[in-house]
Amino acid sequence: MDAYLHVLHALMLRDMRTRFGGSHWGYAVVVLWPVTHVFMLVLIYTFRHVPAPIGESRAIFFASGAVPVLCYQYISREVMKAVMQNRPLTYYPQVKLVDVIFARLLVEIVTGFLGLLTIVSILVAAGIDPRPEDSFVAVCGYLCAIMLGLGIGTINVAICAFFPAWQIGYILFNILMYLSSGVMFLPHFLPDQIYSILKYNPAVQVVEWVRLGYYPQMGVQVDYVYTVLFALTAFSLGMFLEKHVIRKLN
């Protein structure tokens, strides 16, 4: 276990130094990128004088939707990129492909949490109370977003082993997932035929899960079992393919 933790620690340090330019400023840019994303949405809708679909604060509405979706998307994308970028490290007997995956996951969780703290700090400085009415529900939704990102990320690793171009295709796919996830609107206001289809998108379930912590009166029913099982199934399938297919392929 001690040797394994040393490997993870070394991989995390290498990740942070190679991806962020080896400086605190480089890492700060990565942390502030999703923060900028959230507040750009707020500014656009503020200048257009568009009210939040629910509640009184545009910032809380957009942050409660964008933060979990960006967390899921960043983790799923960066886990996929970690394997593509660090595959030569697996030639060392101490380093396994799964070590690269978990090292990148830990870096992304820390980065996402720092971004969340930055958003909360800005809201407090602006005189907005960022505390959800039901903290347990909101935190569970955020943790499910992390788990979903890990699950989809491991699936992406398996796909990229056969189709490397999927790294670009997934970025385009993520745009569609983002636009349909409900960050900028409330999906349950759509016609039932459309809403029932959107509910198969786990990102929609995660957004509604987090928002229920802020707006218990929102009137939606999150399928918690479906969302958690989707994430666990994706992770299990990805790990199975990594062990029995990708290793033999390499």
Side-chain angles (χ1 to χ4, degrees), residues 12-246:
M12 290 174 65
L13 288 179
R14 183 184 185 279
D15 241 4
M16 297 177 72
R17 289 175 179 171
T18 55
R19 290 173 57 210
F20 309 134
S23 69
H24 298 296
W25 293 111
Y27 187 65
V29 170
V30 176
V31 172
L32 293 176
W33 187 255
V35 177
T36 305
H37 181 111
V38 171
F39 286 103
M40 280 297 294
L41 286 176
V42 176
L43 289 175
I44 290 172
Y45 278 77
T46 299
F47 287 137
R48 293 179 58 192
H49 303 289
V50 177
I54 189 171
E56 300 178 357
S57 172
R58 298 182 184 90
I60 293 295
F61 175 79
F62 290 118
S64 62
V67 168
V69 170
L70 292 177
C71 174
Y72 138 69
Q73 291 191 337
Y74 275 46
I75 290 176
S76 62
R77 187 184 66 201
E78 293 302 327
V79 165
M80 172 182 62
K81 289 169 60 178
V83 175
M84 303 285 289
Q85 296 168 352
N86 298 312
R87 188 176 296 277
L89 294 178
T90 59
Y91 298 152
Y92 295 99
Q94 298 91 344
V95 181
K96 304 293 187 296
L97 199 63
V98 69
D99 300 334
V100 175
I101 292 174
F102 280 113
R104 180 62 64 89
L105 172 67
L106 292 174
V107 171
E108 288 303 313
I109 289 176
V110 172
T111 303
F113 184 69
L114 290 176
L116 178 61
L117 288 180
T118 304
I119 292 173
V120 169
S121 301
I122 294 174
L123 292 176
V124 171
I128 300 173
D129 185 2
R131 293 175 299 177
E133 292 189 30
D134 192 333
S135 300
F136 180 76
V137 172
V139 170
C140 286
Y142 183 76
L143 293 177
C144 188
I146 294 175
M147 186 166 57
L148 183 64
L150 176 60
I152 299 298
T154 53
I155 290 289
N156 285 336
V157 170
I159 295 176
C160 284
F162 296 95
F163 307 104
W166 174 243
Q167 187 171 352
I168 298 175
Y170 183 65
I171 295 175
L172 301 176
F173 176 74
N174 257 343
I175 296 175
L176 179 61
M177 293 283 285
Y178 179 87
L179 294 176
S180 64
S181 63
V183 173
M184 296 176 284
F185 62 96
L186 291 175
H188 66 282
F189 282 176
L190 297 173
D192 291 340
Q193 295 87 343
I194 299 176
Y195 181 52
S196 61
I197 296 174
L198 288 180
K199 291 283 278 187
Y200 287 105
N201 179 357
V204 173
Q205 302 273 3
V206 167
V207 168
E208 291 185 338
W209 192 338
V210 173
R211 278 188 175 149
L212 274 179
Y214 286 89
Y215 312 107
Q217 74 282 5
M218 196 166 62
V220 298
Q221 182 62 45
V222 178
D223 194 339
Y224 303 104
V225 175
Y226 168 78
T227 310
V228 173
L229 285 181
F230 190 101
L232 292 177
T233 301
F235 176 71
S236 300
L237 181 58
M239 288 292 98
F240 176 83
L241 292 174
E242 187 276 330
K243 181 177 180 180
H244 297 284
V245 178
I246 299 177

